[in-house]
Amino acid sequence: MTNIGGTLKELFGGKKSKITVIIAIIFFVLGPILGFTLAKIPMQVVTGKVVEGGSLSNVTLAYAFPFNVQYEQSCIIEFTARYNGTPIRLIIVGQGAYNTGVENGLSPDNIAWRNFMVSTFSRAVTPGSSYSIESSVVCTGDDTFYIEFMGDGTITGTDRIWSEPGSYVIIVYVSAGTDAGVFDLKVYLEGPGEIINNIFIIIGLCLILSLLGVVAAILIKRFLEV
Amino acid sequence: MGMEDTSIKKSDLSKSKKDNFYDGLLKMDKERATKFIVKGLIIAIIFGTIMLISASIAAGSGDFSNLATEYNEQMYWNGAYGYQTFLQKSHEINFVRLWMIYQQFIVVNISRLGVNIGLVIITLGFIGFATNDNLDSRTRLAALIIAGVVLSIVMFTSFFTQINVTLN
């Protein structure tokens, strides 16, 4: 027993082994932290923003936020209106369509809308029954919408969205009446958090496995010496 | 002439080493034969354990999938992410589940090789006992029979994948 203990202490107690274990632990700890932190990259946080009443007739008066999405990347939007009797609508349009609308002073209603996914987090139903594909959301009360956008989607057949990389614009405007409205908007882009988390954990595992491999090789070599 | 002498000497040396190795297998002392058996057993046990762990991981893939799916649903209902991300994670869970099943094919085949090597070393150890003149004839016979049985197991597992024993 003393020999085994001594051997293990000799194999694992070295400076290189300790450094390897410490680095592996750092990777194991940093992986989930960075993964969680970089899962969603905040792009825009707007609180108590006022949108003008005339924005229904002219898109230049509406609130607009341009952004880009890459292949298989989601844009996550949390939209809330502080209802004061004015319904507020959120739509997403292509950058080109938006530019045309601005040049011609079009109503946001007359610009081609893109489809996105709205999730409603209800435990009463399965996740597959608690989402919908929409081309716009309207806050007629103090509603909050959780939106995922990847480029476009459809409600024909299976409700779904898909990846279409490109430049898009989020437009928020008053959908009826002439009074101004107030809203909150948070825009996030899906970050590389999960990939970083997986890479860090794999590196940590490789370090531990390589250490164990070296120790096992030394033990087997000693063991096989007749 | 000198070159030829050198090459002859090298080949003679190599042949002599090989002869010594094979002679050594049949003229093993008791201590060396015991070491062979113990080492073979440990190698077989290590690889056998790896094989069982691998099979256990494959068998537990369904339970892992159920747990991960439940966690995914909880995270969705908590509002941590939307339905699109939920779908993406569902596919990742399925991918991991399939890997947990598939790893068995790789690990078990490598482990089977290790177990067979361990069994061959055990066989050599028992042959060492059987050819040891210092032991009594019954012990040598028993060692020879055990060596034959272990060798049969190696041959069956090598050529017929596995051995099934059915008790009625």
Side-chain angles (χ1 to χ4, degrees), chain A residues 8 26 31 36 79 87 93 108 115 132 145-146 149 153 156 167 180 182 184-188 195 200 220-221:
Chain A
L8 289 176
I26 289 169
F36 181 77
F79 174 57
V93 301
N115 290 325
S132 61
F145 294 98
Y146 188 97
F149 176 75
T156 308
S167 301
V182 184
D184 298 342
L185 183 72
K186 290 176 186 170
V187 182
Y188 304 94
I195 296 167
F200 272 56
I220 289 168
K221 195 185 167 189

Side-chain angles (χ1 to χ4, degrees), chain A residues 40 117 119-123 125 127-128 130-131 146 148 150 161 190 194 223-226, chain B residues 32 35 38-39 42-43 73-74 76-86 88-89 92:
Chain A
K40 287 195 243 178
M117 184 178 275
S119 297
T120 44
F121 307 107
S122 170
R123 288 177 191 271
V125 289
S130 60
Y131 78 98
Y146 188 97
E148 283 170 290
M150 295 178 82
I161 56 171
E190 192 183 32
E194 192 158 345
F223 180 70
L224 290 177
E225 280 169 1
V226 180
Chain B
R32 198 179 176 203
K35 276 182 181 175
V38 172
K39 284 174 185 178
I42 289 174
I43 290 170
E73 287 183 351
Q74 292 292 338
Y76 171 76
W77 283 322
N78 289 340
Y81 42 74
Y83 185 67
Q84 185 67 21
T85 311
F86 170 82
Q88 193 182 330
K89 288 185 185 292
E92 285 167 8

